[in-house]
Amino acid sequence: MKKKQLLATLVMLSLMQGSVYAKDITAETQEEYNAVAANDSLILTGDNNTVNIGAEGANITGDVITAGSGNNNTLTITDSNFNNVYGANDGENAVANAVTINGNSVIGIETEEDEDRGYNYSVIGGQAAANGQSSQNNVVINGGTFEGTVAGGLINLDDENGTGSATNNKVIINGGYFKESDVEQNPTDSIQGGRAVAGDANNNEVYIYGGSFEQHIKGGVSKTGNASQNKVVIGEINDSDNSNDD
């Protein structure tokens, strides 16, 4: 069996068995992505996963990518096209996840599901359950086109009484085009550092070093809870702290 085929087989077995071990996946071509994806999507669970999709000029196309369901997951996408991108999703808490988008990627194609639920998020650093905690998640965007809100940390919006908190999340924009969403969502934001429902959205940050935006930019948003000590900073691209690097 060829090395790439063996790697793909081992990855798929790990996904099907719900392995508790951290996963490290790299796919630089459409063929390599198709080998590890299922129905055009790559959905990982757990913590401490590392996912790298794409390369310069790769133009990989897929549906949804989720790097994990908990904490400390890392996702990097380069010159590729996806509907929805999550550093972490579907776990009780989402802490210290990181998403980086590079090159001419296109993220966020709206669906009927987006219309029905009244919101559309293209990139989320970490999404927690309705009563969970989304904290210390980072999103860095270095270019591309985005339709739908980009958020550092998010609490699941499907439960209007969810008391989960979105705190200390960060979004850094070094470039890109952020299109107005066709979904009639409220608020109509291009960028959110953190978003909660009935819980608090505090101490979230957005840094803008470049890009074009058709909708609002907000440090933190909560529908009925408190939103305080959030900030939006407009700076120069050579300022410090404008990447997900340690």
Side-chain angles (χ1 to χ4, degrees):
M1 182 179 291
K2 293 181 179 179
K3 183 177 180 181
K4 288 183 180 178
Q5 291 176 323
L6 176 60
L7 174 61
T9 300
L10 291 174
V11 168
M12 289 306 296
L13 286 172
S14 174
L15 298 181
M16 289 187 293
Q17 293 171 358
S19 171
V20 297
Y21 299 106
K23 306 171 187 69
D24 190 339
I25 296 176
T26 297
E28 295 185 343
T29 67
Q30 186 72 56
E31 181 181 8
E32 291 176 357
Y33 177 75
N34 292 344
V36 297
N39 298 320
D40 296 328
S41 295
L42 177 61
I43 311 295
L44 302 184
T45 59
D47 307 324
N48 303 306
N49 300 317
T50 301
V51 180
N52 293 281
I53 302 297
E56 185 176 354
N59 198 33
I60 294 172
T61 298
D63 186 11
V64 178
I65 289 189
T66 301
S69 58
N71 309 324
N72 299 301
N73 298 291
T74 301
L75 171 61
T76 302
I77 294 176
T78 302
D79 280 357
S80 297
N81 313 309
F82 292 92
N83 293 339
N84 304 101
V85 170
Y86 302 89
N89 189 30
D90 284 339
E92 182 64 25
N93 299 310
V95 179
N97 301 286
V99 175
T100 302
I101 310 292
N102 298 316
N104 295 314
S105 297
V106 178
I107 311 293
I109 300 172
E110 292 164 350
T111 65
E112 290 185 6
E113 183 180 1
D114 297 325
E115 291 282 358
D116 291 341
R117 64 191 180 187
Y119 60 85
N120 177 33
Y121 280 79
S122 56
V123 180
I124 299 173
Q127 177 169 270
N131 297 312
Q133 178 186 15
S134 177
S135 180
Q136 302 175 53
N137 301 291
N138 290 343
V139 172
V140 174
I141 292 178
N142 296 314
T145 300
F146 303 83
E147 186 168 353
T149 304
V150 173
L154 186 73
I155 296 301
N156 192 305
L157 303 179
D158 293 335
D159 184 350
E160 294 187 356
N161 298 312
T163 59
S165 61
T167 59
N168 298 297
N169 300 289
K170 184 187 296 184
V171 177
I172 300 170
I173 308 296
N174 294 317
Y177 173 38
F178 300 83
K179 299 171 62 178
E180 180 177 2
S181 175
D182 291 330
V183 174
E184 294 183 5
Q185 55 185 3
N186 183 26
T188 54
D189 298 334
S190 288
I191 311 294
Q192 297 169 347
R195 171 78 190 274
V197 185
D200 295 339
N202 298 333
N203 300 302
N204 301 288
E205 301 174 353
V206 175
Y207 293 85
I208 306 296
Y209 301 108
S212 177
F213 307 88
E214 293 187 349
Q215 295 186 296
H216 303 124
I217 299 170
K218 295 179 180 176
V221 182
S222 181
K223 185 175 181 180
T224 59
N226 296 317
S228 65
Q229 303 298 313
N230 301 291
K231 67 180 181 180
V232 175
V233 176
I234 310 297
E236 298 293 333
I237 198 167
N238 61 356
D239 285 356
S240 62
D241 199 25
N242 62 340
S243 73
N244 264 324
D245 295 334
D246 293 333

